[in-house]
Amino acid sequence: MKIYTKFGDKGKTKLYGGDTVSKIHVRVEAYGTVDELGSLLGVVIAEMKGDKDTLKLMEIIRECENIQQQLFDCGGDLATPDGLRPYKQGEEDIRWLEERIDEYMCQLPALESFIISGGHKISGMLHQARTFSRRLERKIVAVIEEGETVNENNLKYINRLSDYFFVAARLVNVRMGIKDTLYMKSGKVFKSSK
């Protein structure tokens, strides 16, 4: 199989099913952002595996590797217009993320103020993955608002994924013995409203 197709030479690509579209088509923007997030996650995983305290992070490493697989399914779904094949991402992926989030929330200090990305380097990288997830969420909404058919589980999954990365980032700081960076307003901690 050749790696190049030459469709890109004219700014075009093919969706699942054979439709040719522009490389800036909303659907291509969405699954391209999935690819960006999966690649970033690969860097985060490599950083965790290379950390001197990698044993404290093994559970998160395995989960992030699983998320990369789930993201590949999400990208495939987004590349498939009009439900031309059965979608791969299901509700079980969403439930799995919710279970992980709920388990980790019990291990974290209460969140009484806004926090800013910071602390351990890996925590900061997971916050970056969170922001990529939010961008991806906006891209999927753009596909929907264009009237395109998508797997509704993709949007739900990506919404939960950003929450997972937020919680995982905080958990890394806890496991590394580093406090979260609190948002300060005029030199005082700014409390979140509940």
Side-chain angles (χ1 to χ4, degrees):
M1 178 172 97
K2 288 186 177 181
I3 193 68
Y4 55 88
T5 64
K6 299 188 180 180
F7 283 108
D9 294 351
K10 295 184 180 178
K12 303 290 184 185
T13 191
K14 286 193 175 193
L15 300 175
Y16 181 87
D19 287 350
T20 301
V21 296
S22 167
K23 290 245 180 175
I24 60 168
H25 187 278
V26 289
R27 192 176 285 280
V28 179
E29 286 283 346
Y31 71 71
T33 305
V34 173
D35 191 27
E36 288 179 42
L37 178 56
S39 296
L40 172 62
L41 201 48
V43 174
V44 176
I45 291 166
E47 187 72 27
M48 286 191 284
K49 286 182 175 180
D51 192 89
K52 64 180 177 57
D53 291 318
T54 193
L55 291 177
K56 295 178 181 178
L57 305 172
M58 287 308 296
E59 187 176 21
I60 299 170
I61 291 169
R62 285 191 297 272
E63 289 167 4
C64 286
E65 289 171 337
N66 188 49
I67 288 166
Q68 281 187 304
Q69 300 293 323
Q70 293 171 341
L71 284 170
F72 204 86
D73 288 343
C74 178
D77 287 352
L78 288 168
T80 305
D82 305 319
L84 292 177
R85 65 162 174 76
Y87 291 128
K88 294 181 179 182
Q89 191 151 60
E91 292 181 4
E92 64 278 0
D93 292 343
I94 299 163
R95 282 193 302 272
W96 177 76
L97 282 175
E98 290 172 344
E99 288 167 5
R100 305 314 311 136
I101 292 166
D102 291 345
E103 180 176 327
Y104 290 153
M105 284 298 293
C106 297
Q107 300 175 38
L108 298 173
L111 191 60
E112 297 177 356
S113 67
F114 294 108
I115 65 166
I116 295 175
S117 174
H120 195 277
K121 179 179 181 181
I122 294 168
S123 175
M125 294 174 80
L126 286 164
H127 276 294
Q128 188 175 21
R130 173 185 58 78
T131 65
F132 270 55
S133 299
R134 289 295 188 199
R135 181 186 339 161
L136 173 54
E137 186 177 18
R138 294 189 297 272
K139 299 284 187 184
I140 296 172
V141 169
V143 174
I144 294 167
E145 290 188 356
E146 282 289 316
E148 298 273 330
T149 305
V150 298
N151 177 0
E152 64 182 33
N153 289 319
N154 294 153
L155 184 59
K156 293 176 187 175
Y157 174 82
I158 296 303
N159 181 272
R160 296 308 181 285
L161 185 59
S162 62
D163 295 334
Y164 169 84
F165 286 137
F166 177 79
V167 170
R170 294 193 67 217
L171 186 65
V172 166
N173 278 341
V174 167
R175 290 189 177 172
M176 298 302 188
I178 299 172
K179 291 186 178 183
D180 285 324
T181 305
L182 303 180
Y183 168 60
M184 305 290 278
K185 184 175 182 179
S186 302
K188 298 180 182 176
V189 173
F190 188 77
K191 301 290 184 180
S192 63
S193 57
K194 294 184 180 181

